[in-house]
Amino acid sequence: CDREIAERYHATFAPYFYIFSPCDFDAYDTIAQEDIQRDVFFIGEEKGDRRARIDAITKVLDQAGLTHELRLVPQNRHHGLFHHHRPASASYMPYAVVQERVRTSRAILELISDGQTGLTQRSFEALFLRKKLITTSSEVKSYDFYHPQNVFVLGERPLEELPDFLHSPFHPIAPEIVKQYTLAGWLQHFSRA
């Protein structure tokens, strides 16, 4: 699901899919503007240069009077396959709460890890939940759901344009494009190969 890795190992590239795609996302069409509680939401591990990136974005959002919830979670230092007992942490957020935060936000921030080129689940949350995406991944522009009115690629546009981007309307994406990124669409990709 990472184009560069697929090329390096001569493997067929297969875009990732939204792991929660069997849900009824049409219900999110009905969210009213008054239900929006923040302009930008982010949650992710504190690693690499994320703190510096978030500080720069926070400054622009604050200057523009935009609301945000940008959470950095301490990196999980536990190794091994089974983590049944996650330590209690004020920064931990169950995924159901993350989905609710996304649902009540105007945009999602996606910060790709160093060395990664493939998209994260944040891109697919934005696609399925019809939210704007602010991302560090220029790879998103090669996907058929990309639209500059919906996706702001950091580093390619000045941060000062972020307020206008957030206040512009969301450009609808055709349902047949969205369906490609469901689990069923992902499996069909392999049956055609």
Side-chain angles (χ1 to χ4, degrees), residues 6-63:
E7 288 174 9
R8 185 178 321 139
Y9 293 101
H10 307 289
T12 302
F13 171 70
Y16 207 43
F17 62 95
Y18 186 47
I19 58 175
F20 296 99
S21 57
C23 301
D24 177 17
F25 290 96
D26 291 336
Y28 288 95
D29 269 342
T30 62
I31 186 165
Q33 282 301 106
E34 59 267 14
D35 290 338
I36 297 295
Q37 297 175 9
R38 71 201 59 76
D39 291 301
V40 182
F41 174 73
F42 170 82
I43 187 166
E45 285 188 332
E46 185 168 359
K47 56 186 175 182
D49 65 350
R50 282 185 173 172
R51 169 69 60 196
R53 286 178 187 252
I54 285 181
D55 288 347
I57 292 166
T58 298
K59 185 177 177 182
V60 170
L61 295 174
D62 287 345
Q63 287 174 345

Side-chain angles (χ1 to χ4, degrees), residues 94-113:
Y95 191 67
V97 176
V98 170
Q99 283 185 309
E100 180 60 20
R101 292 294 204 290
V102 168
R103 189 185 76 77
T104 57
S105 298
R106 193 174 316 284
I108 305 170
L109 174 62
E110 172 186 60
L111 299 176
I112 301 293
S113 298

Side-chain angles (χ1 to χ4, degrees), residues 52-193:
R53 286 178 187 252
I54 285 181
D55 288 347
I57 292 166
T58 298
K59 185 177 177 182
V60 170
L61 295 174
D62 287 345
Q63 287 174 345
L66 297 168
T67 58
H68 51 84
E69 181 179 353
L70 308 177
R71 286 181 173 226
L72 283 172
V73 178
Q75 198 168 11
N76 186 353
R77 301 276 183 220
H78 301 286
H79 296 289
L81 297 175
F82 304 102
H83 300 132
H84 296 296
H85 304 290
R86 178 182 281 274
S89 166
S91 58
Y92 173 74
M93 186 180 287
Y95 191 67
V97 176
V98 170
Q99 283 185 309
E100 180 60 20
R101 292 294 204 290
V102 168
R103 189 185 76 77
T104 57
S105 298
R106 193 174 316 284
I108 305 170
L109 174 62
E110 172 186 60
L111 299 176
I112 301 293
S113 298
D114 293 339
Q116 178 181 351
T117 59
L119 304 181
T120 73
Q121 284 294 306
R122 300 295 178 249
S123 292
F124 298 105
E125 288 167 345
L127 173 65
F128 278 85
L129 302 176
R130 298 168 184 93
K131 300 296 174 179
K132 299 238 178 180
L133 178 68
I134 304 163
T135 182
T136 56
S137 172
S138 60
E139 170 73 10
V140 72
K141 295 189 325 187
S142 66
Y143 282 75
D144 53 0
F145 62 80
Y146 170 78
H147 192 281
Q149 199 167 315
N150 297 345
V151 180
F152 188 99
V153 180
L154 292 166
E156 294 187 7
R157 293 167 70 177
L159 274 176
E160 293 72 32
E161 292 181 11
L162 202 47
D164 289 338
F165 165 79
L166 288 170
H167 286 116
S168 68
F170 182 84
H171 179 82
I173 304 300
E176 57 271 13
I177 290 175
V178 177
K179 286 178 185 173
Q180 294 177 87
Y181 300 98
T182 63
L183 174 59
W186 189 74
L187 292 172
Q188 284 178 349
H189 171 83
F190 290 104
S191 67
R192 290 188 301 257

